[in-house]
Amino acid sequence: MPSPDRTDPHETVRSRLRGLAERLTPGSDDRSSDDDARAVRTDGGTTVSGGSGSTATSQGGWLRSLRKSGFVSSLPFWLPPFLLMGLFVYGAIGWNFLISLTDMEGFGDPEYSSLDFEQYTELFASQTFIDAARNTFVLLVAFTILCIVLGLVLAILLDRTIRFQNTFRTLYLLPFSLSFVVTAQLWSWMYDIENGIVNSILGVVGLQPDWIGNPQLVLGAVIFALVWQFSGYTMVVFLAGLQTIPDEHFEAARIDGASTVKMYWRVIVPQLRGSMISALVVLMIAALKAFDFLYALFGQYRPAAGADILATFMVREAYSNQNWAYGSAIAIVLYVLALLVVIPYLYSQYRRGEL
Amino acid sequence: MTDRNDGTTMTDGGTATPSTLDSVRDSISWWRIALYAALTVIGVYFLIPIEAGLVTSFKTGESVIRTAPYAPPGPGGFTLDNWTGAFDALAPGLVNSLIMTIPATVLGALFGSLAAYGLTQISWRGQIPILALFVAGVFIPYQAVLVPLSQFWSMIPLEELLSPLWALPFFHPYQTDLVELIVTHTAYGIPICTVLFRGYYVGLSEEMIEAARLDGASAFGIYRRVVLPLSAPMFAVTLIYQFTQIWNELLFALILIGGAGSPAAPVTLSLVGLGASLEGIDFGLRMAGAFLTALPTLLVFIIFGDQFARGVAGGGT
């Protein structure tokens, strides 16, 4: 449909682009347009997904709508990255599952002719596996909760300051830029029995625990160091979330006579759900890579008893002991655990129209 | 950003009356003193490990034992030997890490941007399963792909495929391992890059692309002339994030390179075990090595940290 008015199409495009560029420049004071866009998007999402359940379009109509929306012309853009990623991610996981059904070990090639679940039965009967699974769970839960709590408190404190906000923000974010390996080296010095900071402070009360060697203490020591590395990042995410909350909400709470603590707890925190989810996403990814930290802290595949998690257990079995099939089975268990988090996350994103 | 928290705009508008919000949030001044005190105390928690590591890296072995871990080196205890020693030990690793990180970061971001652009053009329903696969790809425990990855790269005769390269200057056959790492990191970087860019592109897809299409631009023309120039802030975030992730990664390096002894070992691999010997750990050397390893990503964050935080604020995750 050609438009009836005779304006120069280039001009309309340019003016639209200008408007958009203004809207998108970072640091622009006007956040409302952004919020509008989000509101529209989520509305659109829910109505569309709500509608998709009830519509019964024929196959032909579905294809036509795809073509109209540029499905074919979009292929060259997303298909190559999709194939590369698909091969390495989903292809590899499928292959990994196949290997876990063989009894591949040592230097032989896997034998795909006889497949069974023997590795899994052996695995679930192993005490090492049960301990590693328990440690993984404790690490994941404690690490996530502590990072969220500390990050939230820091964000609320920083949100109330005016001076030096950027300085504090960058300062708290510094550990996030470090490698797990570097963090492990720094904390191996912090926890050093004789000369480390932690014990030189505790030495005043006559305590000198072996933080890394003692199976009772090591998991806590690891969690403490990981929280140090990541709580600054969760703070940045919450700070961003706090700054999108309109001022009226603070005022409304204030007029109602709510105390500051109550105001944040009842009014502000519930509105940070989106920030909470994106913080959890990053913490999940970080926790999955905790292997790097443990390997660097102990300099070998075998962490101290008490800090062995599924990730270290898997790499040790596969690469130290060359029990490839057994290691693959542990990896599949780890992947299933990750899916238990990912699938609800995907579903909630879908329900909110974000997918 | 709102200006209520932005020191610069506050001072710019010095005469402006503070908004009601300021009076709500910052009513009492002793509150503010306590607030700054709390922020500083927490700042100490974040800084102490970094500070202790830094002073220790300038201490002689004797001074490490004699002085408090957070105190500066005492008289006669100052030395630069740790830094020169660490540099000698890690220089090849730093070069390898750069060779590995830069191409993988750029390629991953570019693929992510292209995929996200392609996916914003597909109608809602066709997009969901494909997008779900991308998002789920973000949460892959790398352990779940290690064994196939080792198998895969041992089956591909990469060194022969790349043989024309080895005749060139600066190229050596051992860098085959680095090419493996580049491809691996690019592939596993695609999901997160796609998700980041898509979150940003849905905001501009509809009207933008429609307008340019009326203009008669091809899909690629729209991408190059319209979408790519607008992607700059998101490219900043993605490049910073991926650079940090890939530079800091250890597991793939460990598995594909084999050990710190290899000439292709990235710096994280060389750093593990640095300073450890039968006599104990030389913490001075180890700390200097840790800072050398962290230097590139620390610099990136000190320079671009603000941009990163702003981009995180604007682009969801």
Side-chain angles (χ1 to χ4, degrees):
Chain A
M1 272 298 283
S3 56
D5 57 23
R6 307 284 306 234
T7 48
D8 177 15
H10 293 273
E11 193 44 52
T12 40
V13 172
R14 257 191 300 263
S15 68
R16 276 188 197 182
L17 285 188
R18 212 172 301 122
L20 205 102
E22 277 163 18
R23 244 183 48 196
L24 287 171
T25 35
S28 74
D29 286 3
D30 179 29
R31 289 206 62 93
S32 62
S33 56
D34 223 68
D35 292 342
D36 288 350
R38 193 172 309 126
V40 168
R41 211 184 314 144
T42 46
D43 286 359
T46 44
T47 50
V48 171
S49 56
S52 68
S54 57
T55 48
T57 40
S58 65
Q59 183 74 17
W62 183 69
L63 270 177
R64 220 186 350 260
S65 76
L66 271 187
R67 273 210 197 90
K68 205 168 63 189
S69 63
F71 177 73
V72 174
S73 69
S74 75
L75 277 180
F77 294 98
W78 65 263
L79 200 59
F82 183 70
L83 291 178
L84 180 60
M85 176 214 54
L87 171 76
F88 274 84
V89 172
Y90 299 105
I93 288 173
W95 191 0
N96 186 80
F97 180 62
L98 202 60
I99 291 173
S100 76
L101 300 180
T102 67
D103 44 20
M104 179 187 174
E105 55 181 41
F107 295 101
D109 278 335
E111 193 62 61
Y112 296 118
S113 53
S114 61
L115 300 178
D116 54 41
F117 282 87
E118 212 172 298
Q119 307 291 351
Y120 291 90
T121 49
E122 195 183 325
L123 180 63
F124 293 138
S126 136
Q127 188 56 44
T128 318
F129 168 76
I130 292 164
D131 291 344
R134 195 194 53 230
N135 290 340
T136 305
F137 181 75
V138 171
L139 179 86
L140 197 69
V141 172
F143 167 71
T144 318
I145 291 176
L146 288 171
C147 280
I148 296 273
V149 170
L150 189 59
L152 190 58
V153 169
L154 280 178
I156 287 172
L157 288 180
L158 264 194
D159 190 42
R160 297 170 54 98
T161 55
I162 288 179
R163 252 168 255 167
F164 314 119
Q165 196 198 39
N166 292 352
T167 316
F168 281 120
R169 193 170 64 182
T170 307
L171 173 69
Y172 297 157
L173 199 56
L174 277 185
F176 177 70
S177 72
L178 299 178
S179 164
F180 271 129
V181 182
V182 173
T183 305
Q185 307 296 45
L186 289 178
W187 283 89
S188 72
W189 173 224
M190 295 285 288
Y191 288 138
D192 186 61
I193 299 185
E194 288 181 18
N195 305 310
I197 285 194
V198 180
N199 281 0
S200 53
I201 294 170
L202 287 176
V204 178
V205 258
L207 285 173
Q208 281 218 324
D210 178 2
W211 291 100
I212 295 176
N214 182 334
Q216 251 80 51
L217 297 175
V218 63
L219 198 57
V222 166
I223 292 166
F224 194 75
L226 292 179
V227 168
W228 173 80
Q229 186 166 1
F230 283 92
S231 46
Y233 181 80
T234 49
M235 174 212 65
V236 168
V237 174
F238 283 132
L239 199 55
L242 277 174
Q243 297 182 339
T244 59
I245 295 176
D247 299 357
E248 295 81 59
H249 293 225
F250 288 92
E251 276 169 60
R254 182 51 56 117
I255 289 162
D256 288 348
S259 69
T260 311
V261 176
K262 213 181 244 174
M263 169 177 89
Y264 274 104
W265 185 245
R266 292 249 182 93
V267 182
I268 307 302
V269 173
Q271 294 190 51
L272 292 174
R273 212 176 132 252
S275 308
M276 192 77 78
I277 289 175
S278 47
L280 283 172
V281 167
V282 172
L283 293 177
M284 251 306 278
I285 299 171
L288 290 176
K289 290 187 179 171
F291 169 88
D292 291 10
F293 180 84
L294 290 166
Y295 179 81
L297 192 62
F298 296 96
Q300 54 177 357
Y301 290 125
R302 184 179 291 284
D308 194 22
I309 57 174
L310 287 174
T312 45
F313 180 38
M314 180 268 154
V315 180
R316 185 170 67 246
E317 284 297 342
Y319 290 87
S320 253
N321 308 340
Q322 314 214 297
N323 295 328
W324 305 109
Y326 193 57
S328 299
I330 303 167
I332 290 292
V333 172
L334 196 58
Y335 182 59
V336 170
L337 290 180
L339 281 184
L340 290 180
V341 179
V342 174
I343 289 171
Y345 167 72
L346 281 174
Y347 184 69
S348 78
Q349 291 293 87
Y350 173 72
R351 286 296 303 272
R352 294 172 65 206
E354 304 258 319
L355 204 63
Chain B
M1 280 287 129
T2 49
D3 60 359
R4 64 167 182 260
N5 297 303
D6 195 332
T8 51
T9 50
M10 287 301 296
T11 47
D12 286 350
T15 52
T17 50
S19 71
T20 36
L21 192 105
D22 290 328
S23 62
V24 167
R25 289 195 185 186
D26 320 313
S27 43
I28 317 165
S29 64
W30 60 260
W31 241 118
R32 307 202 48 71
I33 295 165
L35 185 64
Y36 283 118
L39 286 171
T40 312
V41 168
I42 300 168
V44 168
Y45 164 63
F46 280 105
L47 262 190
I48 270 275
I50 296 178
E51 189 270 344
L54 206 53
V55 291
T56 304
S57 71
F58 291 108
K59 290 178 184 177
T60 57
E62 198 193 338
S63 169
V64 168
I65 296 167
R66 266 194 305 103
T67 52
Y70 45 84
F78 178 87
T79 177
L80 287 175
D81 290 354
N82 295 323
W83 284 84
T84 50
F87 188 78
D88 289 342
L90 299 181
L94 288 165
V95 173
N96 288 333
S97 276
L98 274 180
I99 294 174
M100 167 187 84
T101 307
I102 292 173
T105 303
V106 173
L107 283 172
L110 204 59
F111 275 131
S113 165
L114 285 166
Y117 169 70
L119 287 175
T120 45
Q121 285 195 65
I122 305 176
S123 83
W124 205 253
R125 216 178 334 166
Q127 218 184 95
I128 289 173
I130 299 164
L131 201 59
L133 286 174
F134 272 108
V135 177
V138 173
F139 299 94
I140 292 301
Y142 286 168
Q143 277 74 11
V145 296
L146 279 188
V147 177
L149 205 61
S150 311
Q151 287 267 305
F152 176 79
W153 286 121
S154 66
M155 279 160 38
I156 304 256
L158 195 61
E159 200 168 328
E160 285 166 50
L161 292 173
L162 297 171
S163 52
L165 284 178
W166 312 140
L168 300 169
F170 309 115
F171 283 91
H172 307 283
Y174 73 79
Q175 291 165 338
T176 307
D177 289 346
L178 290 177
V179 176
E180 288 178 8
L181 277 176
I182 290 171
V183 176
T184 306
H185 277 304
T186 303
Y188 291 107
I190 287 173
I192 183 72
C193 292
T194 306
V195 169
L196 285 171
F197 275 107
R198 185 185 167 272
Y200 185 72
Y201 287 166
V202 251
L204 54 115
S205 61
E206 295 305 317
E207 47 186 299
M208 294 287 323
I209 288 174
E210 214 41 57
R213 199 175 281 145
L214 288 175
D215 206 15
S218 66
F220 188 75
I222 296 171
Y223 177 74
R224 209 171 47 91
R225 289 210 306 274
V226 178
V227 179
L228 205 54
L230 287 169
S231 303
M234 212 57 222
F235 262 104
V237 171
T238 312
L239 290 173
I240 292 170
Y241 183 81
Q242 277 300 90
F243 182 88
T244 312
Q245 292 288 313
I246 297 174
W247 180 274
N248 290 341
E249 211 275 335
L250 175 76
L251 183 56
F252 283 153
L254 185 69
I255 297 313
L256 295 179
I257 304 279
S262 159
V267 70
T268 42
L269 210 48
S270 326
L271 178 61
V272 175
L274 180 73
S277 65
L278 290 176
E279 292 88 64
I281 299 172
D282 179 351
F283 276 111
L285 180 66
R286 179 174 276 197
M287 291 303 111
F291 280 97
L292 268 183
T293 306
L295 208 55
T297 51
L298 271 177
L299 280 179
V300 163
F301 264 79
I302 289 169
I303 299 167
F304 302 108
D306 249 17
Q307 239 174 319
F308 181 76
R310 256 207 307 259
V312 168
T317 315

